[in-house]
Amino acid sequence: MAALALLGGCAMEQAELEKPTLAGDTIRFSAGPCFGACPSYSLRVTPDGSGLIEPQRFTAIPGPTRFTVTPAQYRRFRAALAQFRPAQGTVRRIGQGENCVRFATDMPGYVIEWTRGEAPPTRLEFQSGCMDAGYGKLRAAIASIPRMLDVAAMVKPTAAKGR
């Protein structure tokens, strides 16, 4: 039992990123499940360029995987999401029945969270079934993230055993 607890602690330790030394936001992007075989995963990127992907379903990687991004990739990632960022320390939700009229069901949900030091996180929750024209740029930005961070091959949908 103690060995399992130690192994569990190691697994948790491996799935964490070091505190960034550069000033800036750690950005977490999560792609939720859909009715079909959409890849479901969460990734985090620090201003230092450290990244971690934690797969959930239908991805090409079996477990938490570290990656790095260049300063230019981090800046592009941050800039691509900046126009959609809610006010510091708040949560904005875009979904059916709230601020979305045209909605398709069974689509993945996305969560983007910005954290910096001890400040309260800033969070955007987007149900991608929202087809209102005003959210087209947000849908495009979300679709570009795997290529932008050079992790597309890792999050490529697979059908094998839900991974």
Side-chain angles (χ1 to χ4, degrees):
M1 204 56 116
L4 283 176
L6 286 174
L7 286 175
C10 290
M12 289 301 291
E13 190 173 323
Q14 289 176 343
E16 287 301 317
L17 290 173
E18 297 77 24
K19 256 188 174 170
T21 58
L22 293 177
D25 294 309
T26 295
I27 303 172
R28 179 183 205 113
F29 172 79
S30 300
C34 69
F35 183 68
C38 300
S40 179
Y41 61 93
S42 182
L43 65 79
R44 286 177 282 165
V45 176
T46 70
D48 295 333
S50 296
L52 177 69
I53 295 180
E54 298 173 275
Q56 292 155 358
R57 295 179 50 186
F58 303 115
T59 65
I61 54 175
T65 303
R66 291 180 179 275
F67 65 98
T68 58
V69 296
T70 66
Q73 284 174 305
Y74 176 81
R75 285 190 303 272
R76 274 195 306 273
F77 182 44
R78 186 185 64 215
L81 299 172
Q83 65 182 312
F84 311 110
R85 182 179 176 152
Q88 178 62 40
T90 65
V91 175
R92 179 171 183 223
R93 183 169 158 75
I94 301 168
Q96 183 179 21
E98 294 178 42
N99 46 16
C100 178
V101 177
R102 295 181 52 224
F103 194 81
T105 59
D106 302 330
M107 303 291 284
Y110 297 94
V111 175
I112 303 163
E113 190 171 82
W114 296 261
T115 57
R116 184 183 297 207
E118 300 301 316
T122 301
R123 185 176 172 112
L124 174 67
E125 300 173 2
F126 177 62
Q127 292 180 343
S128 68
C130 182
M131 298 297 165
D132 290 3
Y135 299 117
K137 287 182 180 180
L138 175 56
R139 284 191 301 275
I142 286 170
S144 73
I145 289 171
R147 282 187 322 279
M148 182 185 307
L149 298 178
D150 201 23
V151 297
M154 289 188 247
V155 299
K156 181 181 176 185
T158 63
K161 296 184 182 179
R163 283 267 183 202

